[in-house]
Amino acid sequence: MDSAFGDLNGDKLEDLNFVLQHKDSVTFIKHEDYYKPEYNDTIITQPRILAIAFYNAATKLYDLIEQSDSFILCHDNR
């Protein structure tokens, strides 16, 4: 979806952070109360992932430092 470069760890190298979004929609059932199905909700969404990678000058590659599957809200969350 989006990306940005900048020195995130103070080593004067351009690090990278980016957001990925599933291309296909994912459907799951949110169980509010197992014994009362009327409280359950079917949710269709496209999950998003935030990833942070630091540039490694020795290998000239990016090392994945952090990944979150819940930090970036989906478009239908408020």
Side-chain angles (χ1 to χ4, degrees), residues 16-18 49-55 61-68:
L16 168 65
N17 65 68
F18 56 95
I49 298 170
L50 169 67
I52 299 172
F54 291 166
Y55 185 72
L61 299 171
Y62 287 94
D63 297 326
L64 181 65
I65 300 302
E66 189 66 48
Q67 174 182 325
S68 175

Side-chain angles (χ1 to χ4, degrees), residues 1-3 17-26 44-51 67-77:
M1 284 188 68
D2 204 358
S3 62
N17 65 68
F18 56 95
V19 177
L20 301 173
Q21 179 173 303
H22 284 265
K23 180 179 178 183
D24 298 325
S25 295
V26 176
I44 300 172
T45 187
Q46 291 176 293
R48 295 177 179 173
I49 298 170
L50 169 67
Q67 174 182 325
S68 175
D69 300 337
S70 61
F71 185 76
I72 303 294
L73 295 176
C74 296
H75 71 280
D76 53 353
N77 288 28

